[in-house]
Amino acid sequence: MNTIKNFFNDETGLELSEYAVAAGLIALAVVAAFTALGTQINAAIDALRNKIVTT
């Protein structure tokens, strides 16, 4: 019975899971930022290409 109580009172695993969640959120933010940045760069290149082709 003490083993079960010790298992539920042990919080050492929570630290690792909190780091994993934080790392996942940071990775998601980086992917979203690069996706948005890539879209803007692509739009700028397309605009330049259109100006070159039409002149």
Side-chain angles (χ1 to χ4, degrees), residues 6-16:
N6 289 338
F7 176 76
F8 284 113
N9 290 333
D10 185 19
E11 295 184 1
T12 56
L14 292 177
E15 295 171 2
L16 180 59

Side-chain angles (χ1 to χ4, degrees), residues 13-28:
L14 292 177
E15 295 171 2
L16 180 59
S17 63
E18 289 170 352
Y19 285 125
V21 169
L25 291 174
I26 290 170
L28 183 63

